[in-house]
Coordinates of all heavy atoms in Angstrom, one line a residue:
P1 N -7.9 -5.1 -24.7 CA -6.7 -4.5 -23.9 C -5.4 -5.3 -24.0 O -4.4 -4.7 -23.9 CB -7.3 -4.5 -22.5 CG -8.8 -4.6 -22.6 CD -9.0 -5.4 -23.8
D2 N -5.5 -6.6 -24.3 CA -4.3 -7.4 -24.3 C -3.9 -7.7 -25.7 O -3.1 -8.7 -26.0 CB -4.5 -8.7 -23.5 CG -5.7 -9.5 -24.0 OD1 -6.4 -9.1 -24.9 OD2 -6.0 -10.6 -23.4
R3 N -4.3 -7.0 -26.7 CA -3.9 -7.2 -28.1 C -2.4 -6.9 -28.2 O -1.9 -6.0 -27.5 CB -4.7 -6.3 -29.1 CG -4.5 -4.8 -28.9 CD -5.4 -4.0 -29.8 NE -5.2 -2.6 -29.7 CZ -5.5 -1.8 -28.7 NH1 -6.1 -2.3 -27.7 NH2 -5.2 -0.5 -28.8
V4 N -1.7 -7.6 -29.0 CA -0.3 -7.3 -29.2 C 0.0 -6.4 -30.4 O 1.0 -5.7 -30.3 CB 0.5 -8.7 -29.3 CG1 1.9 -8.5 -29.6 CG2 0.3 -9.5 -28.0
W5 N -0.7 -6.5 -31.4 CA -0.4 -5.8 -32.6 C -1.6 -4.9 -33.0 O -1.8 -3.8 -32.5 CB 0.0 -6.7 -33.7 CG 0.5 -5.9 -34.9 CD1 -0.1 -5.9 -36.2 CD2 1.6 -5.0 -35.0 NE1 0.6 -5.1 -37.0 CE2 1.6 -4.5 -36.4 CE3 2.5 -4.6 -34.1 CZ2 2.6 -3.6 -36.8 CZ3 3.5 -3.7 -34.6 CH2 3.5 -3.2 -35.9
N6 N -2.5 -5.4 -33.8 CA -3.6 -4.6 -34.3 C -4.9 -5.1 -33.9 O -5.0 -5.9 -33.0 CB -3.5 -4.6 -35.9 CG -4.0 -3.3 -36.5 OD1 -4.8 -2.6 -36.0 ND2 -3.4 -3.0 -37.7
D7 N -6.0 -4.7 -34.5 CA -7.3 -5.2 -34.1 C -8.2 -5.6 -35.3 O -9.4 -5.6 -35.2 CB -8.0 -4.1 -33.3 CG -7.8 -2.7 -33.8 OD1 -7.6 -2.6 -35.0 OD2 -7.9 -1.7 -33.0
D8 N -7.6 -5.8 -36.5 CA -8.3 -6.2 -37.7 C -8.5 -7.7 -37.7 O -8.0 -8.4 -36.9 CB -7.4 -5.7 -38.9 CG -8.2 -5.7 -40.2 OD1 -9.4 -6.0 -40.2 OD2 -7.5 -5.3 -41.2
W9 N -9.3 -8.1 -38.7 CA -9.5 -9.5 -39.0 C -9.3 -9.8 -40.5 O -10.1 -9.4 -41.3 CB -10.9 -10.0 -38.6 CG -11.3 -9.6 -37.2 CD1 -11.8 -8.4 -36.8 CD2 -11.2 -10.5 -36.1 NE1 -12.1 -8.5 -35.4 CE2 -11.7 -9.8 -35.0 CE3 -10.8 -11.8 -35.9 CZ2 -11.8 -10.3 -33.7 CZ3 -10.8 -12.3 -34.6 CH2 -11.3 -11.6 -33.5
D10 N -8.1 -10.4 -40.9 CA -7.8 -10.5 -42.3 C -8.2 -11.9 -42.8 O -8.6 -12.0 -44.0 CB -6.3 -10.3 -42.5 CG -5.9 -8.9 -42.6 OD1 -6.7 -8.0 -42.3 OD2 -4.8 -8.6 -43.0
G11 N -8.0 -12.9 -42.1 CA -8.2 -14.3 -42.5 C -9.7 -14.5 -42.7 O -10.5 -14.0 -41.9
N12 N -10.1 -15.4 -43.7 CA -11.5 -15.7 -43.8 C -11.9 -16.8 -42.8 O -11.1 -17.7 -42.6 CB -11.9 -16.0 -45.2 CG -11.5 -17.4 -45.6 OD1 -10.3 -17.6 -45.8 ND2 -12.4 -18.3 -45.9
P13 N -13.0 -16.6 -42.1 CA -13.3 -17.6 -41.0 C -13.5 -19.0 -41.5 O -14.1 -19.2 -42.6 CB -14.6 -17.0 -40.4 CG -14.6 -15.6 -40.8 CD -13.9 -15.6 -42.1
V14 N -13.0 -20.0 -40.8 CA -13.3 -21.4 -41.1 C -14.5 -21.8 -40.2 O -14.6 -21.6 -39.0 CB -12.1 -22.3 -40.7 CG1 -12.5 -23.8 -40.9 CG2 -10.9 -21.9 -41.5
V15 N -15.5 -22.4 -40.9 CA -16.7 -22.9 -40.1 C -16.8 -24.4 -40.4 O -16.9 -24.9 -41.5 CB -18.0 -22.2 -40.6 CG1 -19.2 -22.8 -39.9 CG2 -17.9 -20.7 -40.3
I16 N -16.7 -25.2 -39.3 CA -16.7 -26.6 -39.4 C -17.2 -27.2 -38.2 O -16.9 -26.8 -37.1 CB -15.2 -27.1 -39.8 CG1 -15.2 -28.6 -40.0 CG2 -14.2 -26.8 -38.7 CD1 -13.9 -29.1 -40.6
N17 N -18.1 -28.2 -38.3 CA -18.7 -28.9 -37.2 C -19.3 -27.9 -36.1 O -19.1 -28.1 -34.9 CB -17.6 -29.8 -36.5 CG -17.1 -30.9 -37.4 OD1 -17.9 -31.4 -38.2 ND2 -15.9 -31.3 -37.2
D18 N -20.0 -26.9 -36.7 CA -20.7 -25.9 -35.8 C -19.7 -25.1 -35.0 O -20.1 -24.5 -34.0 CB -21.7 -26.6 -34.9 CG -22.7 -25.5 -34.4 OD1 -23.1 -24.6 -35.2 OD2 -23.1 -25.6 -33.2
H19 N -18.4 -25.0 -35.5 CA -17.5 -24.2 -34.8 C -16.9 -23.1 -35.8 O -16.7 -23.4 -37.0 CB -16.3 -25.0 -34.3 CG -16.6 -25.8 -33.0 ND1 -17.4 -26.9 -33.0 CD2 -16.3 -25.5 -31.7 CE1 -17.5 -27.4 -31.8 NE2 -16.9 -26.6 -31.0
L20 N -16.7 -21.9 -35.3 CA -16.1 -20.8 -36.0 C -14.6 -20.7 -35.6 O -14.4 -20.6 -34.4 CB -16.8 -19.5 -35.8 CG -16.2 -18.2 -36.3 CD1 -16.1 -18.2 -37.8 CD2 -16.9 -17.0 -35.8
I21 N -13.7 -20.8 -36.5 CA -12.2 -20.8 -36.2 C -11.6 -19.7 -36.9 O -11.7 -19.5 -38.1 CB -11.6 -22.2 -36.6 CG1 -12.4 -23.3 -36.0 CG2 -10.1 -22.2 -36.2 CD1 -12.0 -24.7 -36.6
E22 N -10.9 -18.8 -36.1 CA -10.3 -17.6 -36.7 C -9.1 -17.1 -35.9 O -9.1 -17.2 -34.7 CB -11.4 -16.5 -36.8 CG -11.0 -15.2 -37.3 CD -10.8 -15.1 -38.8 OE1 -10.1 -16.0 -39.3 OE2 -11.3 -14.1 -39.4
G23 N -8.2 -16.5 -36.6 CA -7.1 -15.8 -35.9 C -7.2 -14.3 -36.2 O -7.7 -13.8 -37.2
G24 N -6.9 -13.4 -35.2 CA -7.0 -12.0 -35.3 C -5.7 -11.3 -35.4 O -4.7 -11.8 -35.0
E25 N -5.8 -10.1 -36.0 CA -4.6 -9.2 -36.0 C -4.2 -8.8 -34.6 O -3.1 -8.2 -34.4 CB -4.8 -8.0 -36.9 CG -4.5 -8.4 -38.4 CD -4.1 -7.2 -39.2 OE1 -3.4 -6.2 -38.6 OE2 -4.5 -7.1 -40.4
N26 N -5.1 -9.0 -33.6 CA -4.7 -8.7 -32.2 C -3.8 -9.8 -31.7 O -3.4 -9.8 -30.5 CB -5.9 -8.6 -31.3 CG -6.8 -9.8 -31.3 OD1 -6.4 -10.9 -31.8 ND2 -7.9 -9.7 -30.6
S27 N -3.4 -10.8 -32.5 CA -2.5 -11.9 -32.3 C -3.0 -13.0 -31.5 O -2.3 -13.9 -31.0 CB -1.2 -11.3 -31.6 OG -0.7 -10.2 -32.3
W28 N -4.3 -13.1 -31.3 CA -5.0 -14.2 -30.6 C -5.7 -15.1 -31.5 O -6.2 -14.7 -32.6 CB -6.0 -13.6 -29.5 CG -5.3 -12.9 -28.4 CD1 -4.8 -11.6 -28.4 CD2 -5.0 -13.4 -27.1 NE1 -4.2 -11.4 -27.2 CE2 -4.4 -12.4 -26.3 CE3 -5.3 -14.7 -26.5 CZ2 -4.0 -12.6 -25.0 CZ3 -4.9 -14.9 -25.2 CH2 -4.2 -13.9 -24.4
F29 N -5.8 -16.4 -31.1 CA -6.5 -17.4 -31.9 C -7.8 -17.8 -31.2 O -7.8 -18.0 -30.0 CB -5.5 -18.6 -32.0 CG -6.2 -19.9 -32.6 CD1 -6.4 -19.9 -34.0 CD2 -6.5 -21.0 -31.8 CE1 -7.0 -21.0 -34.5 CE2 -7.1 -22.1 -32.4 CZ -7.3 -22.1 -33.7
Y30 N -8.8 -17.9 -31.9 CA -10.2 -18.1 -31.4 C -10.9 -19.3 -32.0 O -10.8 -19.6 -33.2 CB -11.1 -16.9 -31.6 CG -10.6 -15.6 -31.0 CD1 -9.7 -14.8 -31.7 CD2 -11.1 -15.1 -29.8 CE1 -9.3 -13.6 -31.1 CE2 -10.7 -13.9 -29.3 CZ -9.8 -13.2 -29.9 OH -9.3 -12.0 -29.4
V31 N -11.7 -19.9 -31.1 CA -12.7 -20.9 -31.6 C -14.0 -20.7 -30.8 O -14.0 -20.5 -29.6 CB -12.2 -22.4 -31.3 CG1 -13.3 -23.4 -31.8 CG2 -10.9 -22.7 -32.0
Y32 N -15.1 -20.6 -31.6 CA -16.4 -20.4 -31.0 C -17.3 -21.5 -31.4 O -17.4 -21.9 -32.6 CB -17.0 -19.1 -31.5 CG -16.5 -17.8 -30.9 CD1 -15.4 -17.2 -31.5 CD2 -17.0 -17.3 -29.7 CE1 -14.8 -16.0 -30.9 CE2 -16.5 -16.1 -29.2 CZ -15.4 -15.5 -29.8 OH -14.9 -14.4 -29.2
K33 N -18.1 -22.0 -30.4 CA -19.2 -23.0 -30.7 C -20.3 -22.1 -31.1 O -20.8 -21.2 -30.4 CB -19.5 -23.8 -29.5 CG -20.7 -24.7 -29.7 CD -20.3 -26.0 -30.5 CE -21.3 -27.1 -30.4 NZ -22.6 -26.7 -30.9
L34 N -20.8 -22.3 -32.4 CA -21.8 -21.4 -32.9 C -23.2 -21.6 -32.4 O -24.0 -20.7 -32.3 CB -21.8 -21.5 -34.5 CG -20.6 -20.9 -35.2 CD1 -20.6 -21.4 -36.6 CD2 -20.6 -19.4 -35.0
N35 N -23.6 -22.9 -32.2 CA -25.0 -23.2 -31.8 C -26.0 -22.6 -32.7 O -27.0 -21.9 -32.4 CB -25.2 -22.7 -30.3 CG -24.3 -23.3 -29.3 OD1 -24.2 -24.5 -29.2 ND2 -23.5 -22.5 -28.6
R36 N -25.8 -23.0 -34.0 CA -26.8 -22.5 -35.0 C -28.1 -23.3 -34.9 O -28.1 -24.5 -34.7 CB -26.2 -22.8 -36.4 CG -24.9 -22.0 -36.7 CD -24.2 -22.6 -37.9 NE -23.8 -24.0 -37.7 CZ -23.2 -24.8 -38.6 NH1 -23.0 -24.3 -39.8 NH2 -22.9 -26.0 -38.3
K37 N -29.2 -22.6 -35.1 CA -30.5 -23.3 -35.2 C -31.5 -22.3 -35.8 O -31.2 -21.2 -36.1 CB -30.9 -23.7 -33.8 CG -31.2 -22.6 -32.8 CD -31.6 -23.1 -31.5 CE -32.0 -22.0 -30.5 NZ -32.5 -22.5 -29.2
Y38 N -32.7 -22.8 -35.9 CA -33.8 -22.0 -36.4 C -34.8 -21.8 -35.4 O -35.1 -22.7 -34.5 CB -34.5 -22.6 -37.6 CG -33.6 -22.7 -38.9 CD1 -32.9 -23.8 -39.2 CD2 -33.5 -21.6 -39.7 CE1 -32.1 -23.9 -40.4 CE2 -32.7 -21.6 -40.9 CZ -32.0 -22.8 -41.2 OH -31.2 -22.8 -42.3
T39 N -35.5 -20.6 -35.4 CA -36.5 -20.3 -34.4 C -37.8 -21.0 -34.9 O -37.9 -21.6 -36.0 CB -36.8 -18.8 -34.3 OG1 -37.3 -18.3 -35.6 CG2 -35.5 -18.0 -34.0
A40 N -38.8 -20.9 -34.0 CA -40.1 -21.5 -34.4 C -40.7 -20.8 -35.6 O -41.5 -21.4 -36.3 CB -41.1 -21.3 -33.2
Q41 N -40.3 -19.6 -35.8 CA -40.7 -18.8 -37.0 C -39.9 -19.1 -38.2 O -40.1 -18.5 -39.3 CB -40.7 -17.3 -36.7 CG -41.8 -16.9 -35.7 CD -41.4 -17.3 -34.3 OE1 -40.2 -17.2 -33.9 NE2 -42.4 -17.6 -33.5

């Protein structure tokens, strides 16, 4: 709802130190802690 321009994702995501770093065409900048792991299977 608070996007300023569009809603696309053009940049390729940066993944470093278990974090996903990306900017959106909605004009917001994001960082996510991924918490990657494997299941028991």
Side-chain angles (χ1 to χ4, degrees):
D2 55 2
R3 67 189 184 281
V4 173
W5 185 242
N6 210 332
D7 41 26
D8 196 0
W9 306 86
D10 276 13
N12 74 294
V14 177
V15 177
I16 186 168
N17 297 330
D18 199 38
H19 285 76
L20 171 66
I21 307 169
E22 177 73 314
E25 277 204 33
N26 62 6
S27 307
W28 290 79
F29 173 72
Y30 297 86
V31 180
Y32 285 89
K33 177 76 165 63
L34 289 168
N35 299 304
R36 300 165 297 176
K37 65 179 183 178
Y38 291 98
T39 67
Q41 292 73 37

